[in-house]
Amino acid sequence: MLTALAQYDPQIYELIKQEGARQNGTIRLIPSENYVSKAVMSADGSCLTNKYSEGYPGKRYYEGQQVTDIIERLAQDRAKKLFKANHANIQPYSGSVANLAAYIALAEPGETIMGLALPHGGHITHGWKVSITGKIFKSIQYSVDSRTGRLDYNKIEELAKKHRPRIIISGATAYPREIDFEIFGNIAHEVGAYHISDIAHIAGLVVAGIHKSPVPYSDIVSTTTHKTLRGPRGGMLLCKAEHAKQVDKAVFPGLQGGPHMHTLTAIAVALAEADTPEFISYAKQIVKNSRAIAEKLLEYGFNLVSGGTDNHLILIDLRNKNVSAKKLAKALDRARIVANYNTIPDDPAPPFDPSGLRIGTPAITTRGIKQEQAQLVAELINKVTENVDNESVIEQVGKEVLLLCSQFPVPDHFIIPNRKSEADNKSNY
Ligand code: DSN
């Protein structure tokens, strides 16, 4: 495929090669990024991109669904098995659309939703004011405790009792601790609300049993498929059987037209990969690496929001380091370490130049990095923090990163057990 691209559009071919080299030659610490397997990549770049499949298996608005129906059912079955859910919808184009679809499935515009505020680690689509979710619904936002950096379930309960929302959203995009979905479920039950959990960041950790699954305690579980789950960029909804119809209707025709069948196909592959002992070891290593980095950063005098991590990410509060997070993120990028600047709870600084740096370990763990090298990564972050204006130190760190990258190349493919040929999946073509 790339040969055709090289011949037809050498400019784009060259840029793809450059991006591949960048991904190989950098330590990627953005917690929402990863490296997918060649199998996932092949499915994502396959002929399924050519197919329109509006509707759902068995009930489509276009003909020619002999194969796509089988693929979509496989994806649904794999998701249901992996997450022990009654129903799965694999069509959302992204996590943002999945979240909006989940709200629309259970609430009318104008009703109240309650989610974690963006500056406290919530996602923009959890009802933040600039998002459509904060405009069409009445949005109440809860926060983390300023002192501990952790969710205060008593306060959340108080707020829920006061506002009686239709939907309570649990889940986060920059929260380093385990979330107690059972308590969220209980609070929702107590106030007569629906509970929607967003596990976009931690889906892989849930699959591996490292974090407790929200499925038994949620009406709908929303997730992306590309972060710790290590699939292609996409979204997915899991729900109780009683909400299946509303969820499907909310995705199509409520919000979307035809699903992106190539993505859906690649998600099916990623779900099979996640259903293996190798994936469980991988997910466990993500957290070990994250903790190893956190420990080392603490030794270097960094302040971490909540004091550490239970998951794949760390939120560094840089205020005591007297360095702008944005400036540090850019210096790290020059040193081949890629992270993102991020707000911290009660951040006194503006969102475009906030006080926090967010880092995470899904991608470096896919490269095979273990605690020892993770600690080296922390050491390099510290070196750059102390030398943000010293280009020769930054260059030297860049060389050390390149060496590390060469020792831990991006794996060409992951070994997954031979899947039995699924004869009953034959489509007659
Ligand atoms: N933007 C993603 C992240 O980086 O966390 C969430 O959608």
Side-chain angles (χ1 to χ4, degrees):
M1 271 192 282
L2 280 179
T3 317
L5 185 60
Q7 282 166 3
Y8 185 76
D9 194 336
Q11 201 178 3
I12 290 291
Y13 173 74
E14 186 50 40
L15 289 168
I16 290 176
K17 265 186 27 189
Q18 281 178 29
E19 174 60 12
R22 188 196 68 81
Q23 291 185 13
N24 271 302
T26 53
I27 285 298
R28 297 168 61 229
L29 295 177
I30 292 175
S32 44
E33 293 184 358
N34 210 330
Y35 299 95
V36 298
S37 70
K38 284 279 190 285
V40 167
M41 194 83 90
S42 306
D44 210 19
S46 72
C47 62
L48 269 300
T49 199
N50 299 332
K51 186 61 195 138
Y52 248 111
S53 304
E54 283 185 17
Y56 290 100
K59 191 172 178 234
R60 305 276 194 192
Y61 292 81
Y62 295 74
E63 295 312 312
Q65 312 292 347
Q66 293 84 352
V67 178
T68 47
D69 274 6
I70 296 172
I71 292 176
E72 187 163 354
R73 284 201 180 101
L74 258 180
Q76 291 167 344
D77 290 345
R78 288 177 182 180
K80 286 193 285 184
K81 176 172 176 259
L82 196 62
F83 289 94
K84 300 184 181 64
N86 297 137
H87 181 73
N89 187 308
I90 323 287
Q91 295 198 1
Y93 301 143
S94 71
S96 298
V97 182
N99 282 347
L100 185 54
Y103 308 156
I104 284 173
L106 301 179
E108 294 295 325
E111 290 191 301
T112 305
I113 62 171
M114 191 175 125
L116 180 59
L118 177 83
H120 285 249
H123 192 250
I124 196 162
T125 59
H126 293 173
W128 189 239
K129 52 195 173 219
V130 297
S131 151
I132 189 77
T133 59
K135 294 182 198 286
I136 63 168
F137 297 104
K138 185 171 171 236
S139 174
I140 304 294
Q141 301 267 273
Y142 56 88
S143 341
V144 295
D145 182 274
S146 323
R147 205 174 33 86
T148 62
R150 293 179 186 240
L151 293 168
D152 179 338
Y153 296 98
N154 292 328
K155 286 228 173 89
I156 295 167
E157 184 180 12
E158 264 173 40
L159 206 62
K161 281 183 173 161
K162 183 169 169 205
H163 294 282
R164 300 260 152 196
R166 184 79 169 152
I167 291 172
I168 297 178
I169 305 146
S170 61
T173 201
Y175 183 68
R177 295 300 183 173
E178 181 166 7
I179 294 171
D180 195 325
F181 296 110
E182 186 173 359
I183 296 185
F184 269 107
N186 291 341
I187 296 172
H189 186 73
E190 199 185 345
V191 301
Y194 290 115
H195 175 209
I196 295 176
S197 46
D198 179 350
I199 57 165
H201 268 264
I202 55 158
L205 309 186
V206 169
V207 164
I210 302 162
H211 285 204
K212 206 161 162 193
S213 170
V215 171
Y217 315 110
S218 312
D219 291 282
I220 301 178
V221 177
S222 173
T223 187
T224 52
T225 47
H226 46 276
K227 298 179 176 113
T228 50
L229 196 55
R230 206 162 61 179
R233 299 289 294 264
M236 190 163 82
L237 291 168
L238 309 160
C239 68
K240 295 187 190 303
E242 69 201 79
H243 301 310
K245 256 199 185 134
Q246 292 136 279
V247 164
D248 285 353
K249 266 172 66 181
V251 175
F252 171 83
L255 280 175
Q256 298 186 172
H260 294 169
M261 286 312 296
H262 54 303
T263 308
L264 193 154
T265 306
I267 292 173
V269 177
L271 291 168
E273 290 178 351
D275 197 8
T276 57
E278 291 80 0
F279 186 85
I280 292 177
S281 310
Y282 159 68
K284 286 184 176 157
Q285 190 62 47
I286 289 179
V287 179
K288 283 183 198 160
N289 285 349
S290 186
R291 290 206 165 119
I293 294 181
E295 270 166 31
K296 204 76 190 165
L297 289 176
L298 287 169
E299 277 176 30
Y300 287 123
F302 283 91
N303 285 334
L304 307 183
V305 172
S306 85
T309 180
D310 297 330
N311 61 20
H312 63 305
L313 71 82
I314 296 160
L315 192 53
I316 307 173
D317 174 350
L318 284 165
R319 284 175 297 175
N320 68 329
K321 292 283 178 185
N322 287 324
V323 54
S324 132
K326 192 173 182 177
K327 190 170 179 181
L328 176 58
K330 289 186 184 306
L332 285 167
D333 197 38
R334 293 199 297 284
R336 297 178 169 268
I337 297 174
V338 189
N340 71 276
Y341 54 88
N342 212 95
T343 50
I344 53 166
D346 299 316
D347 202 330
F352 203 57
D353 192 5
S355 310
L357 188 81
R358 190 182 69 149
I359 58 176
T361 52
I364 58 167
T365 308
T366 292
R367 297 183 81 128
I369 279 178
K370 300 267 192 311
Q371 290 96 312
E372 190 189 332
Q373 300 82 27
Q375 293 204 328
L376 170 63
V377 169
E379 192 185 314
L380 297 176
I381 291 174
N382 182 50
K383 218 183 242 179
V384 174
T385 308
E386 288 181 346
N387 294 281
V388 268
D389 291 317
N390 187 335
E391 287 309 317
S392 73
V393 172
I394 290 172
E395 201 184 323
Q396 183 51 40
V397 171
K399 284 185 184 146
E400 288 185 59
V401 171
L402 255 190
L403 181 67
L404 185 62
C405 289
S406 68
Q407 289 159 348
F408 292 88
V410 178
D412 240 11
H413 62 272
F414 310 121
I415 298 152
I416 60 168
N418 273 339
R419 305 194 64 75
K420 73 174 167 54
S421 97
E422 298 173 63
D424 46 338
N425 291 328
K426 283 264 162 55
S427 72
N428 298 327
Y429 275 80

